[in-house]
Every structure is written in structure tokens, then in C-alpha cells.
Amino acid sequence: MKKFLAILLATVMTMSLLTACGGKDAAPADVASSEADAAVSEVLADGVLTVGTNAEFPPFEYVGDSGEPDGFDVALIKAIGEKLGVSVEVENMEFDSLVSSIGNKIDVAIAGMTVTDERKNSVDFSNSYYDALQYVIVPEGSEIATFDDLAGKAIGVQLGTTGDFIASDDVDGASVSQYNKAVDAVNDLINGRVDCVIIDKNPALVFESKFAGQVKAIDGAQFDFEVEDYAIALPKGDAVLADQINKALDELKADGTFDKLVEEYIGQ
Ligand code: GLN
């Protein structure tokens, strides 16, 4: 009963919020149009979506000038929250804690997170929203250029990331330094403590321009790295929430908001 009331309340709140935001045009066409569409995940029943991220991964997430997490993913999940009629609270935490915090400290996580089979054992994923590839950041003048060149090298990574899994599991004889903050890995690259850093393409390009003249980012295609997909990590088994989030994502793509955010935060 309590659950029913909560769902009813959330539905009424959603509808009144959508009306307040401009009525018919702003409302997703299918809100409450059938009983199935009116289903609201229990996670959203309190009107708040608590989202975990690791704001050390520009341009997807970083601490903005206001001191609050900002970036493409943060803007995207806020836009999703608006579509769902809930407010979004962002918790900044270590990347490696995100998956295990879903369902307790946080409802969902958005963090440039790659869909992997191992993570799928603990969480579900939304539809994918961005393609990614690992890149290799090296000091200017480095001779590292192919996958075989990585063997035996000192490699910096962000702890618990797909870059970490490549360095730790796939590269022969690497000594891997794991950092909670990507920028600390890049600083150690600059001061010579590691030979390269394996990290996703867009952050690699941000660090390349931030530390221009000191480091360069090499395309992961040269290393035969596999293409990855980013998606929002969701509590396992909450099909209603997955459906609501996927629908919101579809609407943001259809109405141009998604492309606008790509242009604003990521560029070409
Ligand atoms: N895409 C990588 C992963 O999912 C890195 C994400 C990150 O560092 N925020 O492991």
C-alpha cells in the first residue's frame, strides 16, 4: 500500500511538473497513456534520483567552477531527470566504488562507464549513449607506438577502469600504477614515474591539450584496442527504471537535446 501511494504520488508529481513546465509540448507523449507506461520505478518514487559519478574524467565529468560536478554526463542525467520529473542529486565518489554503491548509496551511476560482462554480473546498463576507445598518453618524444611496445612498461591507469584491465590483464610484464584521479596519473607521466597512461579517448584529448608540449595522446586503434560503449549503470533487475531511462534517452536524442550537449561539452 505504502508502495502504491508512493507510486501514485510520484506519478501525480511527474504530471504536475510536466504541466508546470509548459504542458502538452514539454510532456513525453506517452506519460500515463496506458497502465504500463504509468509504471514508476520504486527508485524514483521519492522524487529524487541519486546519481554517482567520479568527477575526474573531463569532458564527461569534472568539478566545475561552482565546485559542483559538471560535464556531459552530469548534464545528460539532469536532462533525463527532467524528463522523468524527478530532481537529480549527484554524488562525487571514486570510480571503483560506483558499481558496488548502486542500490545503497546511489540509485544509478553515470561516469563514462563502459559496458562490460563483469560489471553486468552486478548491475544492469541502460542503452548505450556514446562510443569510446582507450587511448595511450605518452611524453613527447616517446617511442611507444604499438601494443607490443607496452610490454614491460610502467603504465598509469585509473583504478578499476577498462584501461586498468588492459594494462593489468593483457600487457605482458607491465608494472601498473593505479590512481583514483586520472590527472594524478598524467602528472606522474610528466614527472617520469610512468612511461604511459591508458585512458579513454576524450579525457586523453583533454589532457593532451591541457599539458600541450609535454604529452601526446595516441589513437587506441594503433594498439588494436576494442571499441567500448558508455551506458548508465542501473540497479540489477529494475526493468521499469531501465525502461523509463531508455525512453528519456530516446526522447533527448529525438528532440535534439543530446546533440546539443555533445556539441557543448565534447565538440567534434
Ligand atoms: N570507460 C572506462 C571504464 O568504464 C573509464 C571510466 C572512467 O574512468 N570514468 O572503465
Side-chain angles (χ1 to χ4, degrees):
M1 192 61 176
K2 209 172 138 215
K3 188 172 146 199
F4 172 76
L5 282 174
I7 290 172
L8 188 72
L9 185 70
T11 309
V12 170
M13 278 168 50
T14 306
M15 288 171 71
S16 53
L17 197 92
L18 289 167
T19 312
C21 293
K24 210 166 150 242
D25 287 344
D30 50 4
V31 166
S33 64
S34 73
E35 232 170 84
D37 285 346
V40 175
S41 165
E42 217 175 320
V43 162
L44 303 179
D46 60 358
V48 181
L49 181 66
T50 308
V51 179
T53 195
N54 172 245
E56 301 292 342
F57 197 69
F60 293 96
E61 40 269 330
Y62 48 86
V63 177
D65 295 339
S66 63
E68 295 297 317
D70 195 2
F72 177 82
D73 283 344
V74 176
L76 179 63
I77 199 71
K78 283 182 178 166
I80 289 173
E82 232 171 87
K83 289 276 184 202
L84 300 178
V86 294
S87 63
V88 169
E89 273 173 20
V90 180
E91 300 280 337
N92 189 9
M93 50 207 296
E94 287 176 6
F95 183 82
D96 202 36
S97 309
L98 289 169
V99 164
S100 63
S101 298
I102 291 175
N104 46 82
K105 287 195 200 78
I106 54 175
D107 297 325
V108 303
I110 189 164
M113 190 183 287
T114 301
V115 178
T116 69
D117 287 340
E118 209 198 323
R119 289 173 184 156
K120 276 192 198 164
N121 290 329
S122 318
V123 292
D124 287 342
F125 282 99
S126 71
N127 291 337
S128 157
Y129 62 87
Y130 209 81
D131 287 346
L133 184 69
Q134 297 303 304
Y135 265 40
V136 180
I137 311 180
V138 295
E140 280 291 357
S142 165
E143 280 170 7
I144 294 174
T146 67
F147 185 79
D148 289 345
D149 296 336
L150 297 173
K153 293 287 190 301
I155 304 178
V157 295
Q158 253 194 303
L159 177 67
T161 61
T162 46
D164 185 4
F165 305 147
I166 290 173
S168 301
D169 303 339
D170 300 343
V171 177
D172 278 344
S175 71
V176 182
S177 300
Q178 298 158 312
Y179 302 81
N180 280 314
K181 299 182 180 188
V183 71
D184 291 343
V186 179
N187 278 323
D188 269 4
L189 179 69
I190 290 167
N191 64 36
R193 288 202 185 97
V194 295
D195 301 312
C196 65
V197 171
I198 303 181
I199 189 168
D200 303 46
K201 169 182 176 175
N202 297 94
L205 295 176
V206 169
F207 290 125
E208 181 182 54
S209 67
K210 186 169 175 189
F211 300 103
Q214 295 175 283
V215 303
K216 64 177 182 187
I218 312 176
D219 189 331
Q222 248 177 262
F223 295 79
D224 297 323
F225 294 149
E226 280 172 22
V227 173
E228 303 179 11
D229 287 322
Y230 291 165
I232 303 164
L234 309 171
K236 209 162 176 50
D238 191 340
V240 176
L241 180 66
D243 193 47
Q244 283 187 277
I245 288 190
N246 285 333
K247 270 191 193 150
L249 206 48
D250 286 346
E251 285 173 19
L252 292 168
K253 286 190 177 166
D255 71 14
T257 308
F258 185 91
D259 286 344
K260 225 180 75 202
L261 294 179
V262 169
E263 204 177 299
E264 181 180 345
Y265 287 98
I266 306 175
Q268 286 322 303

